[in-house]
Structures are given as C-alpha cells and as structure tokens.
C-alpha cells in the first residue's frame, strides 16, 4: 500500500480498524476516504477470517449511538456474530451499537460481581456487559435495559445463544423509568453511556438497595496535558452525588481509552451508602 498511497496522505490515514465477528470496520476520514477500497482489500488479504469490510463514515451519534456505514468489499451484510471471553454476541452493526474495544472493561466488571448479586445495566446495548457477567460470575439477575428495539431484539437472541435465560433479563425502555419502577432494588448499577451517565446518576442511586451498593460510571472527559481527566470527572460526579445527599467513595478510577486528541473515556467505581 505504501507504494500506491502518497506519503503525505499515508500519514493522515487513521489506520486503526475493528474486527467484529467476520466484519472489519475501518474509520474513514477526509484523507482516507478515497483509499477506502484499497485499504479494505488489504485487510481482506491479511485477515482470512474477514468476509466483509465496511467503512465508518460518521462518528457514533444519536440516541441509539449508531454510526453510518458504507459497504467496501466482500459480502453485502452488516450482521455478524462476535466471540469474546467465551461469549457469543449477534449484532447488526447498522442498527445497534457495538465496540469490541470494551472487552477488558466487561471482564473487569464481571470479576467484581459477588455471588447472588442483582444488577441493573441501564444502557445494555446487545447485552455484552450483562452476558459476560452472567457467564463469568454467580450473579442472580442482570436487568438489562435499552431504548433501541433492535438492540433489545439482538440482546434476546444473545441470551439464547449464551444460555443465560432468567439471569439476563432484556427490557426495552428508557432506563430511568425502570430504575424508578424496579420492585427488587439492586446491589450494583452499570452506566455504560457517557453521554447520559451524569443526568441518570440520581436514578442509579434510587435503584440501589439500602445499605452499600456500587455504581460503575462511564464518562467522556476533555483534558489538556497539564490536567487529569480522572480528577475532572470525579469533581463533577462528587458535586452531583453531594447534591443528592448520598454518602459515597470513589474506590477505583481508570482511563478506559483515548477517544480523540485530549479526549478520554473514563470509568469510576463508586461505592454508595444509603
Ligand atoms: C454505548 S451503548 C452500550 C454499550 C453496551 N453496554 C456494550 O457493552 O456494548 C449505549 C446504549 O444505550 C442505549 N440508550 C440510549 N439512551 C437510553 C436510555 N435513555 N435508556 C436506555 N438505553 C438507552 C442506546 O440505544 C445504546 O444501545
């Protein structure tokens, strides 16, 4: 490829791509767009398990966190089955959010879950966090909510594929409605939607059992070199939780990934006492 793509364009090509099941997704920007086919063919040649290459031509956007995709080479489809940590995830990339980059985070959370816990996953997508937890821990139930009907359809399919019936409960709804209405309060709440996590924090606290519970809070934060993104997120979460009168402790914090120049995805594990 170095012989065909001029050096000045090569340095601007964002050359990272994801492989989801047998589909590769390349992020195409204004520089790499014209080389989409060429890059796609190179990926197909290098990865024999890849049967489809799609170009991502928009950022993830909207309530359902979808991205615009265009077909580049291979079979013309957007559905696949992805394997991760011994689990199978069926997904239509055109209709549902999916990121293989969160695999470590899903395993990390699963390892924290105690025997007999009840969990609320407020933004469950096709069920990845919930299913990894159900397969890797002795959790009793994970109420798994998503507002996107297609994501919930695939979540039900994934419950079947992974034989976690009765332990992962797919629910199509706005998470705040479920958090308010849950008859059985929970030990732990997952909030894997940075765009809404701060606004939905009061509902997460409301869903917890009296006593001590956990919230796994995900956010995006901008931070210059001289700033600490973890401290910036803690600052705004502290203000919010104090305004709710909750007693809490930040037990763990980490940068999950960098999402752009000076932008970070951050997770806080917060213990909350009520
Ligand atoms: C970043 S994705 C979730 C990723 C998922 N946890 C995973 O590991 O693949 C966020 C999800 O939240 C859903 N969502 C957005 N607003 C919501 C709301 N108010 N209530 C419930 N789900 C919502 C979107 O449809 C999307 O599937």
């Amino acid at each position: 490829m170095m012989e065909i793509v001029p050096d000045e364009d090569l340095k601007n090509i964002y050359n990272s791509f994801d492989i989801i099941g047998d589909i590769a997704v390349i992020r195409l920007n204004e520089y790499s767009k014209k080389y989409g086919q060429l890059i796609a063919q190179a990926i197909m040649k290098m990865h024999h398990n890849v049967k489809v290459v799609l170009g991502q031509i928009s950022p993830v956007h909207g309530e359902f966190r979808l991205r615009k995709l265009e077909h580049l080479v291979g079979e013309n489809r957007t559905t696949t089955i992805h394997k991760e940590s011994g689990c199978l995830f069926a997904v239509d990339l055109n209709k549902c959010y999916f990121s293989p980059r969160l695999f470590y985070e899903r395993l990390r959370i699963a390892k924290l879950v105690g025997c007999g816990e009840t969990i609320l996953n407020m933004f469950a997508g096709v069920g990845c966090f919930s299913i990894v937890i159900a397969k890797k821990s002795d959790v009793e139930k994970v109420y798994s909510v998503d507002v996107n009907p297609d994501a919930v359809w695939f979540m039900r399919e994934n419950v079947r594929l992974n034989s976690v019936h009765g332990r992962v409960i797919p629910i199509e709804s706005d998470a705040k409605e479920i958090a308010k209405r849950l008859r059985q309060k929970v030990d732990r709440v997952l909030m894997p939607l940075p765009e809404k996590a701060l606004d939905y924090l009061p509902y997460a606290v409301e869903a917890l059992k009296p006593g001590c519970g956990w919230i796994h809070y995900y956010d995006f934060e901008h931070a210059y070199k001289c700033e600490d993104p973890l401290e910036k997120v803690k600052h705004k979460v502290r203000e919010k939780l104090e305004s709710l009168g909750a007693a809490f402790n930040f037990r763990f914090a980490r940068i999950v990934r960098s999402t752009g120049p000076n932008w970070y995805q951050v997770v806080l594990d917060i213990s909350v006492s009520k």
Side-chain angles (χ1 to χ4, degrees):
M1 194 153 60
M2 295 193 47
E3 287 153 30
I4 304 167
V5 182
D7 275 357
E8 66 271 22
D9 282 341
L10 198 59
K11 68 173 186 284
N12 287 317
I13 288 178
Y14 186 54
N15 61 1
S16 82
F17 60 90
D18 286 333
I19 296 183
I20 302 166
D22 61 0
I23 300 181
V25 180
I26 328 170
R27 261 177 242 170
L28 295 175
N29 58 28
E30 54 178 314
Y31 302 105
S32 56
K33 225 172 178 174
K34 53 182 180 275
Y35 304 114
Q37 290 281 334
L38 211 60
I39 302 168
Q41 278 157 8
I43 289 173
M44 281 277 249
K45 239 186 218 159
M46 279 162 47
H47 299 270
H48 295 290
N49 55 328
V50 170
K51 303 287 180 248
V52 183
V53 184
L54 305 173
Q56 176 176 334
I57 53 172
S58 81
V60 171
H61 62 278
E63 188 177 30
F64 297 167
R65 311 309 299 146
L66 304 179
R67 50 195 160 178
K68 283 207 178 89
L69 298 167
E70 70 176 19
H71 176 259
L72 292 172
V73 295
E75 296 168 25
N76 196 358
R77 62 177 158 85
T78 52
T79 52
T80 189
I81 296 183
H82 184 76
K83 283 190 195 146
E84 177 187 302
S85 306
C87 305
L88 296 174
F89 302 130
V91 63
D92 185 337
L93 299 175
N94 232 352
K95 296 179 176 169
C96 312
Y97 177 89
F98 186 87
S99 173
R101 296 180 187 208
L102 295 172
F103 81 95
Y104 173 80
E105 195 49 32
R106 297 194 260 260
L107 259 187
R108 186 184 77 81
I109 300 292
K111 285 181 186 158
L112 299 174
V113 173
C115 181
E117 278 193 20
T118 308
I119 298 179
L120 170 63
N121 182 355
M122 293 180 90
F123 310 110
V126 299
C128 306
F129 270 93
S130 305
I131 289 167
V132 175
I133 290 171
K135 296 281 269 192
K136 302 279 173 198
S137 78
D138 289 322
V139 73
E140 188 177 309
K141 270 192 177 47
V142 192
Y143 296 105
S144 305
V145 187
D146 205 286
V147 79
N148 174 358
D150 291 310
V152 177
W153 190 91
F154 278 97
M155 196 182 342
R156 291 201 176 103
E157 185 62 10
N158 292 329
V159 165
R160 190 186 64 76
L161 280 174
N162 294 282
S163 306
V164 288
H165 305 91
R167 295 175 68 224
V168 173
I169 318 288
I171 304 169
E172 182 188 325
S173 177
D174 184 321
K176 68 167 170 281
E177 299 307 324
I178 299 303
K180 284 191 282 190
R181 280 195 279 121
L182 264 187
R183 255 177 288 148
Q184 185 185 14
K185 298 281 182 190
V186 299
D187 300 287
R188 195 179 290 275
V189 179
L190 273 52
M191 308 189 76
L193 176 56
E195 290 77 7
K196 286 190 181 161
L198 194 63
D199 285 347
Y200 277 55
L201 205 46
Y203 306 106
V205 173
E206 194 177 339
L208 288 174
K209 281 177 186 165
C212 189
W214 288 91
I215 295 178
H216 302 286
Y217 174 93
Y218 293 83
D219 210 339
F220 291 133
E221 189 56 70
H222 182 273
Y224 292 110
K225 267 208 177 112
C226 56
E227 296 176 315
D228 180 350
L230 299 176
E231 285 309 317
K232 287 183 85 175
V233 174
K234 281 183 189 172
H235 178 75
K236 65 183 177 190
V237 171
R238 187 177 293 121
E239 277 190 345
K240 188 80 167 189
L241 287 173
E242 281 173 357
S243 76
L244 298 172
F248 61 93
N249 258 302
F250 296 123
R251 300 288 184 177
F252 180 76
R254 72 182 273 264
I255 294 174
V256 175
R257 55 184 172 160
S258 145
T259 54
N262 302 319
W263 277 97
Y264 303 92
Q265 184 175 6
V266 161
V267 60
L268 305 181
D269 296 348
I270 313 166
S271 67
V272 179
S273 308
K274 302 202 319 183

